[in-house]
């Protein structure tokens, strides 16, 4: 009697287990690893919202391979340690692909964990090192720093004809690497760099280094760091009566740059990929419309759209390969996918996971405080 | 030559702000022998309070009146904050071992910092551009803005006023008496608690002026900026001789000017590190600071 009860219980447990796993396999799980809180919260939240929007759209159309998409989010706070914890959590949750993270540092910290678990990862991180580990699981959905550096050097020498170039970076890996890459490309093309110096991010008082730069009588000051410092550098150089141009790298592209620089923002140049509203592709217009209708705001920046493209291209690959085997999907993305119509332009990947092609632009901030394109990559 | 004078102006501007904040550290230390680690965060808080006042009143008042009201209201509110801080975090621990008070100070610092973050959020806040008219003067190649002139003049006036207050008034004399020996001061009929509260009021109000200058001159304010300004001002107080009021003023100015000249003539990448090397050298030769008195160990 007792034994019979036990068998019955066992049977019940087994049936339950089966139903649970059958229930679970009805979903395709997609992870989001992004800074939902902290310094980059606005970017992280925007990425999460955008991924959920795409998932909703796909699910309304019946899902993929007859399965619905389930999004699981983990907050890495923009910190490397948290990124590694997130990666383990998402792997344990059984995701097949992860979107993120926003920062190169966090994407890189999580990379080996996804690689070992065979989970696909796509990030907008621009650091060149991201694709240098030989992980088949990693796909960059934006353009690397080296492409930006090359474009910046061309803009300086072919369009602006700067003769005396000065460069400032902060101490972060991203900013120093970008500054060094720009300097290298400028030197290769015969540019004359008269000064390179570093500032402490957040120091707020940049007048000493700018006064020093003034004594070099430069044509241009290039800054490779973030907008919180860039806006102040622009304001203070104008206050010090420096007549040189200001050119900011991609991370200066944020509405707060304009607020910090105030009137001094007029005439400053920024180098970045196109702004969301400048994207000419129908997919972009459609997505921006849907995003605004759902959340009543614009995505935080172009980085949201890059990450969305990362998701879209993975979902497309699942559809094409009719498989949830990440090896097969990765092979398809590396070798068979060609010019997928992305929100941020046609997408193809090199065998190392690098996105092929880039579309940098140089903007000048006009008296209307709007961006005006002055130079484009062909 | 204009580069030299420009760096001097650069250094004096930031140096004045350090000096104003340093006064808060040094006055509290002078009277209580306590390092008020929450002072930097009080300065950050004052910048946020100032921003709220400006945003509320902008457009309704003429710029001059707006600036005056902002300064006075922010100084009063921050001073009240300083008094609450003293009541809640330091007075109950006045008889406790000194380490307890230090821990309490650090705790208060974290509470204020995180409080700012919870109220105003982790994103930087930005002062409107046109609070102080954007005038800029060119003196033979040396550029100085109206805001910088204001920073230098107001700081100078406040420091002279403080010096006169401490040296020429009754309450100031009482303050100096408490700094020398609290028990003896109490025996002479001085209300020590009142003196301590006055110290916190003045220190916080001066810090509030520093916080407003940071907001109006640099425009961007951050919930955790109290830490970096507090650290620099604390160092300035030590170089000048902690507990010594003219010392804090001198220390702030020196720190600003060193930083500017090292960035200008040696290396901007190393300016912060080399500034501190120089400070260590000063401390080796003058362990009690430039104007600090040699105190005999009490037995």
């Amino acid at each position: 009697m007792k034994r019979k009860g036990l068998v019955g219980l066992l049977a019940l447990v087994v049936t339950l287990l089966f139903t649970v796993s059958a229930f679970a396999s009805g979903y395709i799980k997609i992870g989001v690893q992004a800074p939902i809180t902290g310094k980059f919260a606005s970017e992280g939240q925007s990425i999460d919202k955008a991924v959920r929007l795409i998932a909703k759209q796909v699910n309304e159309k019946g899902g993929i391979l007859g399965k619905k998409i389930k999004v699981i989010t983990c907050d890495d706070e923009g910190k490397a340690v948290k990124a590694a914890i997130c990666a383990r959590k998402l792997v344990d949750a059984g995701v097949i692909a992860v979107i993120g993270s926003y920062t190169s540092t966090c994407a890189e910290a999580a990379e080996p964990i996804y690689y070992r678990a065979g989970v696909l990862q796509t990030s907008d991180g621009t650091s060149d090192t991201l694709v240098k580990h030989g992980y088949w699981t990693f796909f960059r959905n934006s353009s690397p720093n080296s492409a930006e550096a090359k474009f910046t050097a061309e803009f300086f020498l072919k369009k602006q004809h700067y003769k005396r170039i000065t460069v400032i970076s902060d101490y972060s890996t991203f900013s120093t690497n970008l500054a060094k890459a720009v300097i290298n490309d400028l030197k290769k093309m015969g540019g004359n760099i008269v000064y390179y110096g570093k500032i402490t991010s957040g120091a707020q008082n940049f007048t000493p280094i700018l006064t020093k730069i003034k004594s070099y009588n430069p044509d241009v000051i290039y800054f490779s760091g973030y907008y919180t410092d860039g806006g102040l550098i622009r304001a203070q150089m104008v206050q010090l009566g420096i007549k040189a141009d200001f050119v900011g790298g991609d991370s200066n592209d944020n509405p707060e740059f304009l607020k910090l620089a105030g009137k001094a923002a007029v005439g400053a140049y920024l180098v970045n990929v196109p702004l969301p509203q400048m994207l000419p592709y129908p997919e972009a217009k459609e997505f921006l419309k849907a995003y605004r209708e759902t959340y009543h705001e614009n995505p935080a920046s172009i980085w949201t759209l890059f990450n969305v493209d990362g998701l879209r291209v993975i979902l497309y690959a699942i559809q094409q390969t009719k498989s949830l085997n990440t090896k097969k999907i990765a092979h398809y993305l590396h070798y068979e996918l060609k010019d997928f119509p992305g929100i941020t332009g046609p997408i193809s990947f090199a065998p190392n996971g690098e996105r092929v092609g880039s579309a940098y632009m140089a903007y000048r901030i006009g008296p209307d405080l709007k961006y005006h394109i002055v130079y484009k990559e062909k | 030559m204009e580069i030299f004078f420009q760096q001097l102006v650069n250094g004096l501007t930031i140096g004045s702000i350090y000096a104003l904040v340093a006064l808060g550290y040094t006055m509290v230390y002078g009277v209580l022998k306590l390092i008020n680690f929450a002072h930097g965060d009080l300065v950050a808080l004052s910048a946020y309070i100032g921003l709220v006042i400006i945003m509320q009143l902008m457009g309704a008042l003429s710029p001059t009146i707006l600036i005056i009201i902002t300064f006075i209201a922010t100084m009063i509110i921050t001073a009240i904050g300083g008094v609450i801080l003293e009541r809640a975090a330091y007075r109950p621990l006045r008889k406790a071992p000194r380490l307890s008070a230090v821990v309490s100070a650090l705790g208060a610092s974290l509470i204020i910092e995180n409080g700012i973050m919870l109220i105003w959020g982790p994103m930087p806040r930005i002062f409107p551009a046109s609070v102080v008219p954007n005038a800029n003067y060119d003196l033979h190649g040396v550029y100085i803005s109206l805001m910088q002139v204001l920073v230098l003049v107001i700081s100078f006036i406040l420091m002279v006023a403080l010096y006169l207050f401490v040296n020429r008034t009754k309450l100031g004399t009482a303050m100096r008496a408490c700094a020398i020996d609290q028990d003896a001061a109490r025996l002479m009929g001085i209300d020590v608690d009142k003196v301590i509260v006055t110290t916190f009021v003045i220190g916080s109000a001066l810090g509030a002026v520093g916080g407003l200058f940071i907001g109006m001159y640099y425009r961007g304010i951050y919930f955790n900026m109290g830490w970096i300004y507090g650290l620099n001002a604390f160092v300035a107080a030590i170089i000048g001789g902690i507990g010594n009021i003219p010392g804090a003023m001198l220390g702030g100015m020196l720190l600003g000017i060193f930083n500017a000249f090292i960035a200008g003539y040696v290396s901007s990448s190393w300016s912060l590190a080399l500034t501190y090397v120089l400070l260590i050298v000063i401390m080796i030769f003058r362990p009690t600071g430039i104007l600090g008195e040699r105190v005999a160990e009490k037995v």
Side-chain angles (χ1 to χ4, degrees):
Chain A
M1 197 59 207
K2 228 179 183 180
R3 178 151 291 198
K4 227 177 195 175
L6 201 69
V7 170
L9 195 70
L10 214 71
L12 187 71
V13 168
V14 168
T15 350
L16 265 177
L17 270 178
F18 264 98
T19 24
V20 167
S21 63
F23 190 66
S25 67
Y27 285 112
I28 297 174
K29 289 185 188 165
I30 300 287
V32 173
Q33 180 203 324
I36 306 295
T37 62
K39 210 167 157 186
F40 306 116
S42 69
E43 299 280 1
Q45 289 175 6
S46 179
I47 293 168
D48 186 44
K49 282 178 182 169
V51 168
R52 284 173 189 276
L53 176 62
I54 293 280
K56 204 182 96 195
Q57 286 174 347
V58 172
N59 288 345
E60 275 167 5
K61 284 182 194 149
I64 288 180
L65 307 182
K67 294 177 181 188
K68 300 252 159 136
I69 296 172
K70 189 176 183 182
V71 179
I72 301 168
T73 307
C74 185
D75 177 13
D76 67 20
E77 298 174 24
K79 292 173 187 156
V81 178
K82 285 279 163 75
I85 295 171
C86 267
R88 294 219 170 79
K89 266 192 193 158
L90 290 173
V91 167
D92 289 346
V95 300
I96 71 155
V98 173
I99 317 302
S101 180
Y102 166 70
T103 57
S104 296
T105 314
C106 286
E108 199 155 14
E111 263 190 282
I113 298 164
Y114 295 133
Y115 166 68
R116 268 182 247 121
V119 169
L120 300 174
Q121 179 191 7
T122 173
S123 166
D124 62 16
T126 55
S127 167
D128 279 282
T129 53
L130 285 175
V131 295
K132 298 219 164 120
H133 303 291
Y135 297 149
W136 60 267
T137 47
F138 184 82
F139 296 88
R140 192 206 304 280
N141 51 45
S142 68
S143 312
N145 283 343
S146 50
E148 180 177 347
K150 196 160 157 275
F151 174 79
T152 307
E154 276 172 15
F155 172 61
F156 276 23
L157 300 177
K158 289 190 181 153
K159 172 76 173 47
Q160 302 293 88
H161 304 290
Y162 292 134
K163 299 277 183 294
R164 300 177 65 80
I165 299 163
T166 56
V167 178
I168 308 176
S169 74
D170 64 27
Y171 287 91
S172 72
T173 328
F174 155 71
S175 176
T176 34
N177 284 345
L178 179 57
K180 278 181 191 155
V182 169
I183 290 172
N184 272 340
D185 282 334
L186 280 169
K187 279 186 180 155
K188 263 188 238 154
M189 295 172 67
N192 176 28
I193 295 135
V194 291
Y195 179 80
Y196 169 48
K198 288 184 184 178
I199 52 129
T200 311
S201 180
Q204 297 201 319
N205 181 32
F206 304 119
T207 49
I209 184 174
L210 290 170
T211 305
K212 180 171 178 140
I213 284 178
K214 192 184 180 187
S215 67
Y216 287 96
N217 202 14
D219 295 332
V220 61
I221 297 176
Y222 175 72
F223 176 59
S224 65
Y226 290 89
Y227 56 91
T228 40
D229 301 315
L232 286 175
I233 289 178
R234 174 63 184 168
Q236 289 172 19
M237 70 176 268
V238 169
Q239 194 260 312
L240 288 170
I242 300 174
K243 298 283 185 291
D245 284 347
F246 173 91
V247 180
D250 65 81
S251 297
N252 287 284
D253 173 15
N254 187 295
E256 271 163 30
F257 178 91
L258 303 177
K259 286 196 211 157
L260 280 168
K263 276 190 193 128
V266 177
Y269 293 90
L270 301 177
V271 171
N272 199 2
V273 284
L275 300 175
Q277 59 270 28
M278 284 182 178
L279 293 168
Y281 316 101
E283 290 81 8
K285 296 199 167 76
E286 209 174 286
F287 177 78
L288 284 174
K289 193 167 155 260
Y291 190 96
R292 275 188 218 115
E293 274 168 11
T294 316
Y295 300 114
H296 308 290
E297 60 182 15
N298 281 316
S301 71
I302 188 76
W303 305 113
T304 300
L305 304 184
F306 276 126
N307 281 303
V308 164
D309 263 350
L311 171 66
R312 290 174 72 241
V313 85
I314 287 173
L315 295 180
Y316 179 74
I318 293 174
Q319 235 163 10
Q320 293 302 305
T321 55
K322 297 200 173 49
S323 159
L324 290 178
N325 180 334
T326 49
K327 267 250 153 84
K328 270 192 195 160
I329 299 169
H331 185 270
Y332 177 83
L333 290 173
H334 282 143
Y335 300 104
E336 288 171 45
L337 183 85
K338 193 100 186 71
D339 291 336
F340 173 79
I343 292 172
T344 56
I347 304 174
S348 317
F349 288 102
N352 65 354
E354 185 75 271
R355 182 166 170 182
V356 178
S358 63
Y360 280 97
M361 292 183 182
Y363 305 100
R364 183 175 189 278
I365 297 170
D368 53 356
L369 294 182
K370 294 233 164 63
Y371 290 9
H372 301 275
I373 302 172
V374 287
Y375 189 63
K376 249 179 170 171
E377 209 162 26
K378 267 123 223 156
Chain B
M1 205 59 199
E2 62 244 40
I3 295 292
F4 175 85
F5 282 110
Q6 185 71 61
Q7 292 290 20
L8 195 65
V9 170
N10 299 340
L12 282 175
T13 314
I14 184 83
S16 308
I17 295 175
Y18 288 152
L20 285 172
V21 181
L23 285 168
Y25 281 100
T26 220
M27 287 175 68
V28 169
Y29 184 85
V31 174
L32 278 181
K33 301 288 172 288
L34 162 84
I35 292 160
N36 177 11
F37 281 110
H39 186 59
D41 299 290
L42 217 53
V43 170
L45 179 66
S46 71
Y48 278 87
I49 293 170
L51 179 61
V52 169
I53 295 173
I54 287 176
M55 295 314 263
Q56 290 297 320
L57 298 180
M58 213 163 89
L61 300 166
S62 77
T64 323
I65 298 174
L66 174 69
I67 292 169
I68 293 172
I69 290 183
T70 307
F71 268 91
I72 292 174
T74 310
M75 283 167 83
I76 293 172
I77 297 172
T78 313
I80 295 171
V83 173
I84 294 173
L85 180 71
E86 194 267 333
R87 276 286 159 89
Y90 303 138
R91 191 175 291 185
L93 291 172
R94 208 175 287 160
K95 295 277 179 282
R98 197 160 301 165
L99 218 51
S100 316
V102 170
V103 172
S104 179
L106 287 172
S109 157
L110 286 175
I111 289 170
I112 299 175
E113 188 178 309
N114 286 293
I116 296 175
M117 191 188 76
L118 290 174
I119 298 173
W120 287 286
M123 314 295 282
R125 284 304 177 113
I126 293 160
F127 269 64
S130 47
V131 186
V132 173
N134 204 0
N136 204 8
Y137 310 105
D138 176 359
L139 312 169
H140 302 286
V142 180
Y143 287 78
I144 183 163
S145 69
L146 182 60
M147 189 63 220
Q148 281 179 308
V149 175
L150 275 183
V151 169
L152 293 173
V153 171
I154 295 178
S155 309
F156 182 73
I157 294 172
L158 286 175
M159 288 181 211
V160 171
L162 180 69
Y163 187 78
L164 293 177
F165 168 78
V166 173
N167 287 293
R168 300 281 161 83
T169 65
K170 224 170 165 184
L171 197 55
T173 313
M175 206 175 266
R176 280 183 292 142
C178 285
I180 296 166
D181 191 333
Q182 267 190 34
D183 292 326
R186 193 172 284 123
L187 289 173
M188 295 294 129
I190 293 171
D191 183 349
V192 175
D193 279 343
K194 191 176 140 201
V195 169
I196 290 171
V197 168
T198 314
T199 311
F200 271 89
V201 165
I202 295 176
S204 309
L206 292 174
V209 177
L212 283 175
F213 283 158
I214 294 167
M216 288 180 177
Y217 182 46
Y218 296 119
R219 312 266 315 285
I221 55 175
Y222 311 85
F223 75 96
N224 56 359
M225 72 177 191
W227 167 246
I228 185 81
Y229 281 99
L231 183 72
N232 277 313
F234 176 59
V235 169
I238 304 250
I239 316 170
I242 191 142
N244 183 304
I245 288 171
M249 302 177 192
L250 184 69
M253 296 293 181
L254 279 182
L255 186 61
I257 294 171
F258 276 172
N259 205 344
F261 281 135
I262 291 173
Y265 291 105
V266 188
S267 155
S268 71
S269 312
W270 287 90
S271 72
L272 221 59
L274 287 177
T275 307
Y276 282 92
V277 168
L278 211 66
L279 302 184
I280 292 169
V281 172
I282 293 180
M283 295 317 289
I284 289 170
F285 289 103
R286 297 276 312 177
T288 50
I290 298 172
L291 297 183
E293 278 145 42
R294 280 159 209 277
V295 266
E297 198 63 32
K298 272 186 237 169
V299 187

